[in-house]
Amino acid sequence: MTAHTDVVLDPRDPHDALGPDPVATARERIRAAALRDGALGQVGLELELHLVDLVSPAVRPSWSRVLELVASVEAGAALPGGSSVTLEPGGQVELSTPPRVDVTAAVGSLLRDERVLRAHAAELGLGLAALGADPARPPQRVNPGARYAAMEEHFRHLSTGGSGLAMMTSTAALQVNLDAGPAAGWHDRLELARSLVPVLVALTSTSPWLGGRTSGWHSMRQGTWDGIDHGRTDPVATGDPDDPVREWVDYAMRAPLLLVAAAHEGERMTPLTRRVSLQEWLEGAAGLPRPATARDVDYHLTTLFPPVRPRGYLELRCLDAMPARWWPSAAAVAAVLLDDPQAAAVAREACAPVADRWEAAARLGPADPAVRRALETCLDVAARRVPAALASPVGHLAELVASGRSPSSLLREQIERSGPLTVLLEHARPDDDDDLAAGAAHR
């Protein structure tokens, strides 16, 4: 998820009105923002990291210490890769690169900025763990932002077994952002992206434990989504080839509202503690305190979390955060399978049979035979088609999977041997990482 500034929306603003037919106006607004027609090639990356006190790792750093880290970064020179720094509900810190010309440039930018961020954190006695789930500490919100307070209240009523709070505060993602491409190819591109979700989940999981326990799932990060309203988190159907955006518009209209933003300065955001869709609000049937505005529609889209989300470009949101020895490979695999025509053709055929097996991938990972076949095929073609600078790390990741192991299985072994808190601290400690990450950072 992306951090957002608390907003005030004034329903009296005539420029923000939805007009006499708010449903039709909202649908057109969602459609217009979904995808941008253009060339392929640009890549942006976002990496979330768990903030850890290196002296007292069992206790989450306070909000004041989180802000101290941000102030330290802001007081120094600009991050060399141009990334922005934002904050998540559990105190996770997110680095987001600008769009870069290709995946090699995006990886280099993020690696450089991650190393600088870690250096700032180390000076404050803090570390950063790039894992899909915090394996040791219980879920806890430390970010006091109104958006996140409302989100926590919403999920307390409408998620299962604490999964909403766990998703907010104990998970971290690697997000890969790719151009939407030419409009004529949108349907096929969306279909391929959706079918890749099980493969990317199986490949990138670093969340076999969460909050001091294990469910046995290959990816507990994905498991948290299973306990949240499926109208907010399920994949978007690809639908009609002649209207590839319509399914996203329908999805957004049916999806449950998370909150009603403040209409006036000083008012709080109102969490929704019952299921109300955007469509119902627009139709005036929801019994909410005010009519929806255009900016309410825009804000609603930021509260929807399908594994592939259209935001003008494509957000691939199904990858776990990973240590620097792995995440450049994962980013490269995702980008090449969608942007390289030859790799995309192979991936499309390999992944079609497993397109709906995301839950099997989350539970079993490569132990699911169908997912494993698709994953091995995708890794094989990716290793042959990735840019030269990333061929070696992708090859190493492919070899790991071919050996019958995965990042998730390696982490499970480490946690079972040393305990979740020790592993969290090991991943958070400042060090030189490995030769692969250090070398790539200077390319």
Side-chain angles (χ1 to χ4, degrees):
M1 112 187 33
T2 307
H4 291 270
T5 303
D6 296 339
V7 298
V8 175
L9 307 179
D10 187 349
R12 299 166 300 178
D13 183 349
H15 300 292
D16 203 26
L18 289 170
D21 190 344
V23 171
T25 304
R27 289 184 67 88
E28 185 53 38
R29 191 175 184 88
I30 296 167
R31 175 183 294 278
L35 298 173
R36 288 192 296 269
D37 187 13
L40 295 174
Q42 292 188 115
V43 179
L45 299 174
E46 303 179 24
L47 180 66
E48 295 169 341
L49 305 107
H50 302 281
L51 194 63
V52 179
D53 185 318
L54 296 175
V55 176
S56 302
V59 180
R60 289 176 186 262
S62 66
W63 184 238
S64 62
R65 294 194 72 192
V66 177
L67 294 181
E68 186 179 10
L69 173 58
V70 175
S72 173
V73 175
E74 291 177 344
L79 293 176
S83 296
S84 61
V85 178
T86 51
L87 304 172
E88 300 299 322
Q92 308 98 311
V93 181
E94 180 180 71
L95 285 170
S96 303
T97 73
R100 296 305 187 195
V101 294
D102 57 25
V103 70
T104 304
V107 164
S109 292
L110 187 54
L111 278 169
R112 290 191 293 273
D113 291 346
E114 183 184 354
R115 291 173 71 83
V116 172
L117 180 65
R118 287 181 180 278
H120 281 281
E123 291 177 355
L124 300 172
L126 299 169
L128 294 155
L131 297 172
D134 182 329
R137 300 174 300 185
Q140 178 190 358
R141 181 173 63 87
V142 299
N143 187 330
R147 171 185 170 94
Y148 296 134
M151 185 180 287
E152 180 178 6
E153 183 70 6
H154 171 89
F155 285 137
R156 188 171 70 83
H157 286 83
L158 296 174
S159 68
T160 302
S163 56
L165 183 62
M167 178 276 290
M168 292 172 59
T169 66
S170 295
T171 67
L174 168 67
Q175 184 169 301
V176 181
N177 300 325
L178 303 172
D179 288 321
W186 284 351
H187 176 268
D188 289 347
R189 188 161 173 77
L190 288 168
E191 189 173 59
L192 174 58
R194 184 181 185 278
S195 71
L196 279 169
V197 169
V199 162
L200 295 176
V201 168
L203 175 65
T204 67
S205 171
T206 54
S207 51
W209 280 62
L210 188 156
R213 68 179 186 88
T214 181
S215 66
W217 281 47
H218 174 77
S219 172
M220 286 188 71
R221 175 177 171 268
Q222 290 298 322
T224 64
W225 296 108
D226 205 46
I228 298 171
D229 193 310
H230 287 249
R232 188 185 306 284
T233 63
D234 273 2
V236 181
T238 48
D240 184 355
D242 295 325
D243 189 3
V245 177
R246 180 178 57 81
E247 288 289 348
W248 169 240
V249 177
D250 291 345
Y251 183 105
M253 295 294 287
R254 292 192 303 265
L257 297 170
L258 193 150
L259 57 84
V260 176
H264 307 289
E265 197 70 45
E267 293 181 357
R268 64 188 288 268
M269 291 186 171
T270 303
L272 269 292
T273 57
R274 57 190 173 91
R275 199 180 192 283
V276 177
S277 71
L278 176 61
Q279 175 102 17
E280 290 170 322
W281 191 12
L282 293 166
E283 291 174 343
L288 297 183
R290 63 173 178 82
T293 69
R295 281 180 289 175
D296 284 316
V297 174
D298 298 344
Y299 197 87
H300 173 67
L301 299 180
T302 73
T303 70
L304 307 182
F305 310 122
V308 179
R309 184 168 72 175
R311 293 290 300 277
Y313 50 91
L314 294 187
E315 294 179 342
L316 305 184
R317 304 175 55 86
C318 56
L319 292 76
D320 275 15
M322 309 178 84
R325 65 180 176 273
W326 288 324
W327 74 249
S329 306
V333 168
V336 75
L337 292 177
L338 276 157
D339 283 0
D340 179 272
Q342 293 186 40
V346 172
R348 180 171 287 106
E349 181 176 354
C351 294
V354 300
D356 294 318
R357 293 189 64 78
W358 79 267
E359 186 168 326
R363 287 181 179 275
L364 302 173
D368 180 88
V371 171
R372 182 179 186 84
R373 285 193 296 272
L375 174 58
E376 290 181 338
T377 299
C378 287
L379 284 174
D380 177 69
V381 70
R384 290 184 281 110
R385 300 297 300 178
V386 292
L390 293 166
S392 178
V394 171
H396 290 319
L397 188 56
E399 289 170 6
L400 177 67
V401 173
S403 74
R405 308 179 87 187
S406 68
S408 183
S409 69
L410 293 180
L411 279 166
R412 185 179 294 280
E413 291 168 10
Q414 292 171 7
I415 292 170
E416 290 173 350
R417 182 171 60 249
S418 304
L421 190 60
T422 297
V423 170
L424 176 66
L425 185 58
E426 287 175 353
H427 280 272
R429 280 197 180 111
D431 55 32
D432 292 331
D433 218 317
D434 54 37
D435 292 340
L436 165 64
H442 294 287
R443 292 191 183 111

